[in-house]
């Protein structure tokens, strides 16, 4: 809650934290505090909705990272590296620019279908290459490059100059156009995703020792695998359709959460969601204030912070071994 309040208070124009609280009280409970209409509009219509979506994005991508790393037993698995984000981007761009579905598909549905196709292709490539833990990562890199190239081809061939500029900025991660309708989509998807993952927390603990061991413990491996992969694809697709493709969150935050909460998924999943939400809100604040008068794509901030953090995690892991 403090992070959400700071996300609404800090920006190019600083607004007192007390004004944020009074604005929320006015909007939710008609408290009647006398406030400047401009400040109240900026807080409620722009900054607070943006902070809520940033929190959902961070929590959702972190949950996806935990689930994929556990199911695949690979510390490098995340929606970005496995090509799920790239597939979701291609699906969303196909709907937005090519009109795929003739208006029957929303941006989120297109992103979801693209995410599922991407993961299916990556899984098929990994199966052909071998069942080793490195095969899925190499296949994910190949799939990610393929769908990124497909997205660039669609934008270059079919988009106008204005559309191309907007799409390329969006693909780097952009919260500038986020409003309450986006939050009303992101919040329930994130909460449902968290609940489904928590429901399967003991199954994820069993997957730590491999699919065969999980099956011997009575875990319905195929059903659990299908449900959790679908949930991860759905959360990734929704977040990509709202804010674009954001890297390193699903990769770094699960490792940070394990440092604080341990490896048991009953504690790890909510810890990852909590840390991811705060991280994304802070990254959004930095994207607005780091260069005066200019808003950076949030994906730039997450990469600048995430890459050194992941290098530190790798160095610590090597030292510990």
């Amino acid at each position: 809650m403090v992070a959400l309040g700071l996300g609404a208070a800090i920006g190019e124009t600083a607004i007192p934290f007390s004004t944020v609280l009074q604005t929320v009280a006015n909007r939710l409970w008609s408290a009647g505090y006398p406030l400047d209409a401009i400040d109240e509009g900026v807080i409620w219509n722009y900054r607070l909705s943006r902070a809520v979506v940033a929190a959902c994005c961070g929590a959702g991508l972190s949950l996806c990272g935990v689930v994929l790393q556990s199911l695949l037993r690979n510390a490098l698995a995340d929606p970005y590296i496995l090509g799920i984000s790239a597939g979701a981007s291609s699906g969303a761009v196909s709907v937005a620019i090519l009109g795929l579905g003739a208006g029957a598909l929303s941006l989120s549905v297109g992103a979801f279908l693209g995410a599922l196709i991407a993961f299916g292709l990556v899984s098929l490539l990994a199966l052909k290459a071998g069942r080793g833990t490195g095969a899925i990562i190499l296949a994910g890199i190949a799939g990610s490059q393929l769908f990124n190239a497909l997205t660039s081809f669609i934008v270059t061939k079919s988009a106008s100059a204005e559309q191309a500029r907007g799409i390329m900025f969006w693909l780097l991660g952009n919260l500038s156009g986020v409003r309450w309708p986006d939050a009303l989509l992101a919040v329930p998807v994130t909460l449902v995703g968290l609940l489904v993952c928590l429901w399967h927390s003991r199954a994820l603990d069993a997957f730590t020792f491999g699919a065969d061991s999980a099956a011997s413990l009575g875990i319905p491996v195929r059903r659990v695998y299908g449900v959790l992969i679908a949930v991860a694809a759905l959360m990734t697709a929704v977040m990509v359709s709202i804010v674009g493709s954001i890297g390193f969150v699903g990769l770094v935050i699960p490792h940070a959460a394990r440092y604080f909460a341990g490896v048991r998924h009953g504690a790890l999943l909510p810890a990852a969601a909590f840390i991811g939400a705060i991280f994304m809100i802070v990254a959004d604040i930095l994207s607005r204030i780091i260069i005066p008068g200019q808003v950076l794509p949030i994906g730039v901030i997450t990469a600048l912070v995430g890459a050194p953090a992941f290098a530190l995690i790798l160095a610590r892991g090597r030292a510990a071994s």
Side-chain angles (χ1 to χ4, degrees):
M1 297 303 294
V2 172
L4 287 172
L6 292 176
I10 299 175
E12 188 174 351
T13 302
I15 298 176
F17 194 83
S18 59
T19 304
V20 174
L21 298 178
Q22 291 172 352
T23 297
V24 174
N26 283 351
R27 294 285 181 159
L28 296 182
W29 301 293
S30 302
Y33 289 107
L35 299 174
D36 182 79
I38 295 178
D39 286 348
E40 187 172 0
V42 167
I43 291 171
W44 184 258
N45 296 320
Y46 175 64
R47 291 186 183 175
L48 193 57
S49 60
R50 180 174 177 146
V52 169
V53 171
C56 291
C57 182
L61 293 178
S62 300
L63 288 171
C64 292
V66 171
V67 167
L68 293 173
Q69 289 170 14
S70 299
L71 291 180
L72 302 176
R73 299 178 65 204
N74 195 307
L76 295 177
D78 87 318
Y80 193 82
I81 289 180
L82 293 184
I84 298 177
S85 293
S89 298
S90 295
V93 168
S94 297
V95 171
I97 295 180
L98 299 181
L100 190 68
L105 297 180
S106 66
L107 207 64
S108 298
V109 173
F112 178 61
L113 294 176
L116 288 180
I117 292 172
F119 188 79
L121 177 60
V122 168
S123 300
L124 182 62
L125 287 174
L127 189 63
K128 295 294 184 181
R131 294 179 178 270
T133 56
I136 187 71
I137 299 300
L138 293 175
I141 293 172
S144 181
Q145 293 298 318
L146 172 64
F147 283 98
N148 283 334
L150 178 61
T151 300
S152 299
F153 177 77
I154 293 172
V155 171
T156 303
K157 182 177 184 298
S158 303
S160 64
E162 185 176 350
Q163 281 181 319
R165 182 180 180 277
I167 289 291
M168 297 311 293
F169 192 81
W170 169 76
L171 288 175
L172 292 173
N174 181 22
L175 285 163
S176 297
V178 166
R179 297 295 182 265
W180 282 114
D182 301 305
L184 293 177
L185 173 62
V187 170
V189 167
T190 304
L191 290 177
V192 170
L194 175 60
L195 292 175
V196 172
C197 293
L198 284 174
W199 181 263
H200 293 88
S201 59
R202 296 188 67 183
L204 286 169
D205 288 339
F207 271 100
T208 303
F209 304 100
D212 293 337
S213 297
S216 68
L217 294 172
I219 303 297
V221 172
R222 289 190 177 182
R223 182 183 65 81
V224 171
Y225 195 88
V227 168
L228 291 178
I229 288 296
V231 168
L234 175 62
M235 285 194 289
T236 301
V238 169
M239 301 313 159
V240 168
S241 68
I242 295 174
V243 302
S245 184
I246 297 175
F248 283 100
V249 178
L251 180 62
V252 174
I253 299 301
H255 292 284
R258 288 188 189 95
Y259 180 80
F260 292 104
V263 297
R264 294 184 67 88
H265 288 83
L268 177 59
L269 288 165
F274 181 75
I275 296 171
I278 293 176
F279 173 76
M280 281 295 290
I281 294 173
V282 174
D284 179 45
I285 293 173
L286 290 175
S287 73
R288 284 182 276 150
I289 66 173
I290 196 169
I291 299 179
Q294 183 176 351
V295 179
L296 288 176
I298 194 169
V300 174
I301 304 298
T302 59
L304 288 174
V305 176
F310 189 63
L312 180 62
I313 290 169
L314 288 177
R316 280 182 166 231
R318 184 174 180 83
S321 62

